[in-house]
Structures are given as structure tokens and as C-alpha cells.
Amino acid sequence: MPVTIDELLTRVEKPARYTGSEMNAVQKPFSEAEVTFAFCFPDTYEVAMSHLGMKILYGILNDLPYALCERVCMPWADMLREMKKEQIPLFSLESRTALHQFDIVGFTLQYEMSFTNILEMLSLGKVPVKSALRQKDDPIVVAGGPCAFNPEPLCQFIDAFMIGDGEESIIEVTDTVRQWKKEGASRTECLRRLAKLEGVYAPAFYQDSYNPDGTLQSLVPIDDAAPSVVHKRIFTDMDKAYCPTHPPVPYMQVVFDRIMLEIMRGCTRGCRFCQAGMLYRPVRERSVDNLCDMARQSVENTGYEEISLSSLSSSDYSNINELATRLTDELGSQRVSLSLPSLRVDKFVQDTLSQTQRVKKSSLTFAPEAGTQRLRDVINKGVTEEDLMNTLGHAFANGWNGVKLYFMTGLPTETDEDLCGIAELAKKAASAYYAIPKPQRAKGLRITCSASVFVPKPFTPFQWCPQDKPEEVKRKQRMVKDLFVPLKTAHFNYHDSAVSRIEACFAVGDRRLANVLYRAWELGCMLDGWNEYFRYDLWLQAFEDCGLSVDFYAHRQRGLDETLPWDHIDAYISKSFLRREYEKSMRGETTRVCREGCNGCGLQTLKGLCMACE
Ligand code: SF4
């Protein structure tokens, strides 16, 4: 007798990852749907269920009367082992349908270190891992999300990428496959139709070539269905954007166990390392009325007691005070609290925060990113030490005793003096606390400073910059760690440089890295985003087996005139703007925020789209 999935769940930890049937999960009869879409999140259930994009697209697809969308997450290692042993293919949560039975398999690409999970999920789902091996009856494999803006390292595995906002393009892609199924045309014909959709990139219709020094010479269309440049999609009117007011509510603890209310999309602060800040432009806000309505419905449909006012820079939302006050007035009596995930130290909306904390006090997180003003200007962070100390002083005077400060090591032009600045800021933060009269301040100061490793990302002014070599990363991390030893109330922790090194390769890599990815997966790499499963040795072997160099991808300064692997993708952020910003950063010059005047990033060519340059 074959083993059932339920029997399997008795053998693994956290079986709720695989049960489905959550409140608000959409159950539609699989056989009645004209087109079926498996929405795959290449990481575990608890990460997937915390992702707003998945909730939005899941809701949009299931609102289509002729379509069905079901969720599929990356199993944890114990479940993978049991499924392989019992030959149970990867299945969806709603109907436990095997992945290969869906018409479309869609992946969201949030993090380069989740790429091996994509190959593992395809293989476990009995879908040929390489596009070139897929037959007519195999699912069409699509992908979207921030990593799709450099789709090349995944070009052998994804049939079509959706570039930019997904709200409209995912419906167009689903309708195209539905029509193609009806007509029974060839698989290539399906891909050609997808390639003609705005914002869709079908990598099979492009050919790459390289210069003798290994740099990319060109990537050109080889089929007339394929445009030479693919423009990102922009969903313009946020008040019309789908808001997931009745998302599935997990039975288990997940990373973000709360309502995520997207108050605006985009940010125009222009931090030069920040990819999201460039890719999600222009800034588009939802109205306060719309948000209050969405919040009310979400609380009613989920029972959650916390609402996160989500965006890249929530304190920049034009009506943040009014929104926080109205939501707290309306929902406070139901003990629903608000949180502001992305606070800027220079825009510390004191009144707003007091409002949000009327129900429950949450810890404060700020990201100065660099320890000195010189380096903060280089990265165009736009915050001063004075901003930070004023903000912390206010926070400590109003009862906070815990603060997290985020930094990066390895930023372009960084010196040891900048790194010493991190410990100096921690010291000054402690002084700001002790400056508050004892009776007024909360007991037990905790200052946590954590530093990630700089990773160059496409479509940023730092896309040409190398990452520090591992030995230099370690030297810097050790140096800062030592500076924190004498600090009793402040702690310093940092990211694993090896993971960041492989991440850098895939962030700025070309399509030759698809071979490395496949080899790494063959060697057993997966769940790379989890330290206990990351196998650096196997990754280095994969590069060696493919005759490619990690140094070439992660630690090389790129020429400003070099053809970059993502030059055929247009995010409406011009290369000349990015180059200008890069050159300004090397001179330590800052750029104003767009609300003070347009900086000509490229979007201004799309008349009337950017509220900041009206
Ligand atoms: S078009 Fe101008 S105002 Fe708008 S995001 Fe770009 S630089 Fe900023």
C-alpha cells in the first residue's frame, strides 16, 4: 500500500507546513478550472506565508472565475527525505495535486540563495528541471519578483519571466496559457505569445556572446517574437491595487504573523546600494480612506491583532500621522496594534509612533547602514548622527529600552575609520539612554548592532562595484567585533561572508551561471538561505567544475561602459542616471530626495507617472 501524505506528516517536524486547509484558503474543484496555477514559494511555509506578494497574486488569480491558484512551498529537509523515500511528488496545499499536473508553475524570486530550491521543487514535482527538456504537456514555468530583474542565472530553468509589478501581467500570462491550451498549438508557440506580452522575458529566444576577457559582449533576440528590450510593468493606481483582505491564516507560527497593509509602493530616497528603492519606483500611495477600509476588512476576516503599515519607507507616507491616528482610534478598542517596519531616523514620526504604541510597545529598528557621515553621504543614506541621537533620545525618554541598528560592511570607499564609527555610534546611543533621568527611562538597555555584507545589485549606482574578498570581510568583522567587547549594553553580530559571496555572484551574474546553479544542485545544494544547510564547499566545487571563477563575478570592478547581463531589461532607471550617481558617490556627494525636486532617474520620461516630479 503506498504511504499517504497524512502518514508522512507523522514522521516530520511542523506538519502544519504541509496540511493546508487554513481559514480563508481557497478551495476550488481542480477539474473544473480552465487553467491551473501553482504559486511556488522557494522557501519554507513560514517564510512563504509572510510574503505579501504571494497573498496578492494568490487572491487575484483565485478571483478569476476560470482559473485556480494553489500554493506550493519548499519542504524542509526531513519532509524532502521522506517524500523521496516514498516517491511522493511535491504537492499543493489546497488539493495536494502534484506539481506536474498544473498548467502553470510560478515562482517568486525574492533572494538569490533560494535558487537551488527552485530546481529541487521542479525535480520533486516531476517537472523537467531544464526548460529545453519540457514537453508540450509539461507546465509552463514562469517567475517574477526583484531577482527577475537579472533573470540570466535562471535562464535555463524558467520559461518566461514577468518583470515588474505582477498585478496585471499575471492575468495576461494566465489568459495566454488558457487560450493556448484551447487551441492546442505547440509549446514554442505558447512561449512566443508570452514573449509578446509587455514586461515578459522569454530567455530561450535570446543568444549571448562573450569578449575574450570573459565579459558579456551581447545578448540579442533570435526570434522576432522577442523584443530587444523588455520594459518593467508598473501598476499605477494603488487604490485600485488588489489588497489581500482575506488571506489564508496559518495554523502555525510564521515569520510575520500579522496583517501587512501596503500603504505605498516605491521609495525615492535614493540610497545607492538599495535595489528595491530603484526597482519599485515611482512612489505610489494608497489613500487613507482606502487603507482604513482595507484594515477593517482584514481584521474582520483574519482575527489578527497587529497591522504592519508596510512599505520601503513608511515614515515617508504623506499622511502617516492621520492614518495611524484613525486606525488606532478605530481598531484600538479591539486591541489591534500597529507597527511601522521601516522607520527612518531622520523622519522619526514621534506622534505616529506614540499612536502606534498606545496598544503595545514593539522594539525599534533603524538602519544607519554606515558608521560615519562621510560614508553615509557616499551611499546617499541622507541621515545624520544628530538625527539618530535625537530619535534615540526621544525613544528612550518615551520608555523604549531596546533598539536594533543595521549596518553594512564592505561598502564602496569604506575605510577602517568608517568601521570604528559603528562602535562609536553604539557608544553614543548608550549615552543617549543614560542622559535620560533614571526614573523616566525603562530598565535594561539593549543595543543590537548587526552588519550584513555589501552585495552589489543590478539597477543600483553600485552595480559596477566589487564585493570585498572573504579574508577582508572577516578582518573587518573581527575588527568591529573587538571594538564592541568593552561595551556592556551593546552587541555586534554579522552575516556569514560565504553566503553573501555566492549571493553576489548570482545577483550580478550572467547566463553561464545557470550551469553552476545546476551543478551545485546536482551536488546537493539546497535550503542555502539556512546556515545549517548552506554548503560553501559544494558551491566552490560547482564553480570549479564549470570552469568559472567566483572572483570574476563577486570581486571584480565592472567597467562603466561594460555590457551588463541585465542591460536588455528596462526598469525605467537609466544607466546614465545610475552612472551619475555612482560618480557622485565616489566624490562623496549626496543627491536630494525626489520630494525636493526631480533627479532625472529616467521615470520622468513617463509623463505624469511619478508623483514626486509633478
Ligand atoms: S522621475 Fe524624478 S522624481 Fe520621479 S523617481 Fe525619478 S528622479 Fe525621482
Side-chain angles (χ1 to χ4, degrees), residues 443-476:
K443 286 199 179 61
L445 173 65
R446 296 181 325 285
I447 298 172
T448 307
C449 296
S450 61
S452 60
V453 178
F454 166 69
V455 174
K457 295 275 181 172
F459 296 103
T460 68
F462 290 163
Q463 63 185 6
W464 293 282
C465 301
Q467 182 186 68
D468 276 346
K469 291 218 168 166
E471 53 281 6
E472 178 63 356
V473 173
K474 291 195 178 92
R475 181 190 73 77
K476 290 179 176 182

Side-chain angles (χ1 to χ4, degrees), residues 267-269 277-278 281-283 572-573 577 580 591-606 609-614:
C267 171
T268 52
R269 289 272 169 174
M278 295 294 166
R281 290 180 179 201
V283 169
Y572 296 114
I573 306 292
F577 167 77
R580 240 186 0 258
T591 293
R592 65 187 173 191
V593 293
C594 293
R595 293 181 193 235
E596 295 162 15
C598 179
N599 297 300
C601 72
L603 269 164
Q604 73 282 0
T605 57
L606 303 175
L609 194 63
C610 181
M611 63 189 277
C613 64
E614 270 155 9

